[in-house]
């Protein structure tokens, strides 16, 4: 396999962007990444998107992307793995560069979620669960993650306050991110006092409905350095795994086995272990998810995710900063864009461009992107090229 | 790049399969391909599907596939390029094997289209066109391809009877295919006497709404031969290209530029030219599409696609047999499955397993899979391993 590097990144602001269409967002992020990389041609494109068919009535997003970026006849393909669509799109681009078929590959991720009403958005998101056994019977994601939270609280003594601490930390990080959807700091009391969505999860435990896009440019590591270009970042590990689509099929609701398996593959490819990772963007679609993911990635022992966030281990300046961008919770969660945006944050950190949320001396970072209740997981490890 | 071979194929019957769910179909085709290949493990999976969100309310199809095949935690990703989703999924699997990351890759394609009514199916299919400029304003695919047909008739003198000849030929081929949706032979008079859908296209110029799935197993060519396994088929060329998502953005409605570009790349990778191809499965979603595609692939001169089909050049036993399976027109068109099913037909032909529709001495075959009005095109060239 050829080694692969990231040479450019682009990100739109995240939020309720009613004045911008899905294709506007995709073009804005794509052009930013192309400009950042300083490339004059593209060999191939991928775009991660979960459900543009249900959200805006447009499938065939690869062709839309190539067309609106003025790049026809460059091949362009959409990749979908629910909320892990962005990470899976990066992985598809990674393989095409690694195979030697393409040198310069643009990978985008997008979701335009606010053009439909709340009921329609909830329906669209529930298509990431098991339609026949979960969604059809009325289960939606807050309810499914609430069951995981109850199981984790029961088995490990995880507390309501520990769940709230995830939201408090990520809003604090997001307050330092100019592109975040919510930049206001919140307190544990704010979370506990906010409206209940699915017991024990309050609305401030949930990531929002968001419009946004992200993009990055990949190329072979040996071609990545060029005068005038920012230092490249190598993708040194990529792992993906699946788990049962339905939550009730799993022997243990407190485990994210696909995350552990995907991370194991990424660690092995990278030749790294959890203690080598200096910062990580994880898929905090709900506060309980971040707690379970930090355990599944091996940053803390099983059952210790709650105490770790409460004691500041995963805060900026802590032992292993998690979600410096603000995470899905505060930065926002345009589902198809999220996996790409996580990598954009790591690249900016490894370049030393993260401003007030910079992790000092960061050389190795990780992303964990997840679909459904963890039925798909994609993990990437990135390293600054010295 | 590592060389890649196909070592197993599977295909469900195509038709209105009300007794089978989408996941049933995917599992049936997947298990058939695994059994045909005789493999005891899988490293990675891809599934091509256009719009399971709109057709059956289920996105996140990769996880569904891994789960229902009993293969978790194997990574599984959905690929979407409208009606070219199947071809694009094969290409994604091809790159992962070529890169060296995976050895045994299962690629599926599926669409379950008959669980919704006609209006909903038409809406779902129209999401492959430009939502903002075509679908929103009422254009659907029969109308868009009708415009292409009128332009082709006007410029090249292509006749109504030549369009009908495509349907007549493909139904004759499909009558020999036990898995085809429509196995009845038809005449030119039948086509011309059938109900008008969008002038000049009658209903017998249009491919049907279909349920079905297809699958194949890829591995490195060097690992493909094994005692007891059928002879492998190598993928010697893979090309993909894009064109404007909207038909009206193109300078010439009679040209499929993405098809020509994708074919050029596949020919170059394979070291072959059009006259080396002994049979081809093309994307005859409408009769005019087959005529335009045979021109774009270089089998006939520009404007000569109509006379070629009328004179029998593309019939079984002709100079270059096209759509020996019956094509989308007679075999059926479960959109996400089509691109994979086309390759299944070529593999069966190159193995000498095509029964009454066998092309004698076939060693090199091609597939052309297309999305929208040709905004995406994926071309593969396969060769029997001697």
């Amino acid at each position: 396999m050829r080694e692969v590097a990231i040479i450019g990144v682009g990100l739109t602001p995240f939020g309720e962007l009613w004045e911008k269409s899905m294709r506007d967002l995709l073009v804005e992020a794509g052009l930013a990444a192309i400009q950042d990389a300083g490339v004059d041609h593209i060999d191939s494109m991928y775009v991660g998107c979960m459900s543009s068919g249900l959200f805006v009535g447009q499938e065939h997003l690869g062709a839309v992307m190539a067309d609106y970026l003025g790049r026809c006849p460059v091949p362009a393909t959409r990749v979908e793995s629910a909320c892990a669509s962005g990470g899976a799109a990066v992985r598809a681009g990674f393989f095409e560069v690694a195979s030697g078929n393409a040198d310069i590959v643009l990978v985008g991720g997008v979701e335009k979620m606010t053009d439909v009403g709340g009921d329609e958005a909830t329906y669209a998101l529930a298509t990431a669960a098991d339609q026949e056994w979960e969604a059809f019977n009325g289960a939606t994601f807050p309810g499914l993650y609430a069951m995981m939270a109850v199981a984790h609280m029961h088995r490990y003594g995880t507390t309501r306050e520990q769940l709230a601490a995830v939201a408090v930390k990520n809003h604090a990080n997001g307050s330092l991110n100019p592109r975040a959807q919510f930049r206001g700091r919140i307190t544990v009391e704010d979370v506990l006092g906010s409206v209940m969505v699915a017991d024990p999860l309050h609305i401030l435990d949930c990531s929002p409905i968001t419009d946004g896009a992200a993009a990055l440019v990949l190329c072979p590591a040996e071609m990545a350095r060029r005068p005038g270009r920012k230092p490249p970042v190598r993708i040194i590990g990529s792992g993906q795994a699946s788990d049962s689509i339905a939550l009730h099929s799993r022997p243990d609701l407190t485990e994210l086995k696909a995350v552990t398996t995907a991370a194991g593959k990424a660690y092995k490819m990278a030749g790294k272990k959890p203690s080598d990772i200096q910062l990580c963007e994880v898929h905090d679609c709900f506060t309980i998810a971040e707690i379970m993911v930090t355990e599944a990635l091996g940053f803390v022992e099983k059952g210790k995710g709650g105490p770790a966030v409460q004691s500041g281990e995963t805060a900026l300046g802590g032992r292993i900063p998690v979600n410096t961008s603000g995470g899905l919770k505060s930065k926002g969660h345009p589902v198809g864009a999220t996996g790409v945006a996580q990598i954009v944050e790591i690249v900016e950190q490894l370049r030393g461009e993260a401003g007030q949320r910079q992790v000092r001396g960061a050389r190795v970072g990780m992303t964990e992107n997840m679909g459904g209740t963890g039925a798909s997981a994609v993990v990437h490890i990135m390293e600054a090229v010295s």
Side-chain angles (χ1 to χ4, degrees), chain A:
Chain A
M1 289 176 68
R2 296 204 293 184
E3 293 189 347
V4 179
I6 302 165
I7 55 172
V9 293
L11 190 65
T12 69
F14 280 9
E16 294 187 56
L17 308 175
W18 291 328
E19 74 288 4
K20 289 183 183 174
S21 71
M22 181 181 64
R23 57 187 77 179
D24 289 338
L25 293 168
L26 198 46
V27 166
E28 183 178 329
L31 289 179
I34 291 168
Q35 181 161 15
D36 190 43
V39 291
D40 57 6
H41 83 286
I42 296 168
D43 296 319
S44 182
M45 295 186 199
Y46 293 88
V47 53
C49 181
M50 175 182 159
S51 198
S52 54
L54 287 164
F55 280 119
V56 298
Q58 177 75 69
E59 311 277 10
H60 207 183
L61 214 53
V64 171
M65 182 184 185
D67 188 6
Y68 277 74
L69 280 167
R71 297 284 170 165
C72 294
V74 170
T77 301
R78 172 184 168 209
V79 173
E80 185 266 321
S81 283
C83 304
S85 297
V90 173
R91 194 167 146 90
F94 173 81
F95 288 140
E96 189 171 354
V97 175
S99 79
N101 194 70
D103 287 334
I104 310 290
V105 174
L106 178 69
V107 182
V110 69
E111 211 80 50
K112 174 71 182 171
M113 302 173 75
T114 67
D115 284 0
V116 295
D119 284 357
E120 290 164 285
T122 300
Y123 174 80
L125 290 169
T127 64
D130 188 317
Q131 174 56 233
E132 296 183 12
W133 295 96
E134 293 178 331
F136 180 80
N137 295 297
T140 59
F141 278 99
L144 293 167
Y145 273 93
M147 288 189 257
M148 296 159 85
V150 169
H152 206 273
M153 293 165 91
H154 176 70
R155 174 163 314 179
Y156 296 111
T158 301
T159 65
R160 247 313 331 174
E161 288 69 23
Q162 289 166 352
L163 294 173
V166 174
V168 171
K169 168 181 72 69
N170 290 352
H171 275 262
N173 291 350
S175 74
L176 308 176
N177 185 349
R179 288 162 305 195
Q181 182 167 5
F182 299 124
R183 298 197 58 196
R185 286 167 170 268
I186 57 172
T187 64
V188 169
E189 291 68 36
D190 290 334
V191 179
L192 301 186
S194 69
V195 67
M196 184 70 83
V197 175
D199 189 9
L201 301 178
H202 296 247
I203 199 160
L204 285 177
D205 288 292
C206 309
S207 59
I209 300 289
T210 309
D211 304 325
L216 50 83
V217 179
L218 303 176
C219 85
E222 67 199 25
M223 297 167 55
R225 282 184 178 286
R226 216 176 61 179
R229 181 184 286 164
K230 290 173 183 168
V233 167
R234 269 183 54 211
I235 298 179
I236 57 173
S238 176
Q240 184 178 343
S242 64
D243 199 350
S244 68
I245 182 81
L247 183 62
H248 59 247
S249 302
R250 303 188 198 151
D252 183 348
L253 299 193
T254 68
E255 259 191 335
L256 292 167
K257 279 167 68 176
V259 175
T260 304
T261 306
K265 290 181 186 184
Y267 283 131
K268 187 178 173 193
M269 186 188 288
K272 301 285 184 192
K273 52 189 187 306
S275 60
D276 296 324
I277 307 299
Q278 295 170 284
L279 77 163
C280 188
E281 291 284 302
V282 310
H283 198 91
D284 58 324
C285 46
F286 298 92
T287 49
I288 182 63
E290 178 168 317
I291 288 174
M292 291 173 67
V293 170
T294 53
E295 297 171 6
L297 295 174
F299 296 145
V300 297
E301 265 179 67
K302 194 87 188 67
K304 301 294 186 194
V309 63
Q310 203 169 29
S311 69
E313 277 189 74
T314 56
L316 261 176
R319 179 172 63 85
I320 167 77
V322 169
N323 283 329
T324 56
S325 70
L328 286 57
K329 180 68 203 78
S330 153
K331 185 177 59 176
H333 182 27
V335 288
T338 284
V340 182
Q342 290 177 320
I343 295 179
V344 171
E345 172 71 9
I346 297 296
V347 169
E348 292 184 352
Q349 288 277 359
L350 299 187
R351 285 176 175 175
E353 291 178 343
Q356 287 184 278
R357 58 188 201 285
Q358 181 67 44
V359 175
R360 288 205 199 145
R363 306 288 301 163
V364 178
M366 179 185 256
T367 57
E368 180 273 340
N369 186 203
M370 186 157 77
T373 47
S376 291
V378 184
V379 172
H380 283 102
I381 303 176
M382 275 71 63
E383 187 167 41
V385 177
S386 51

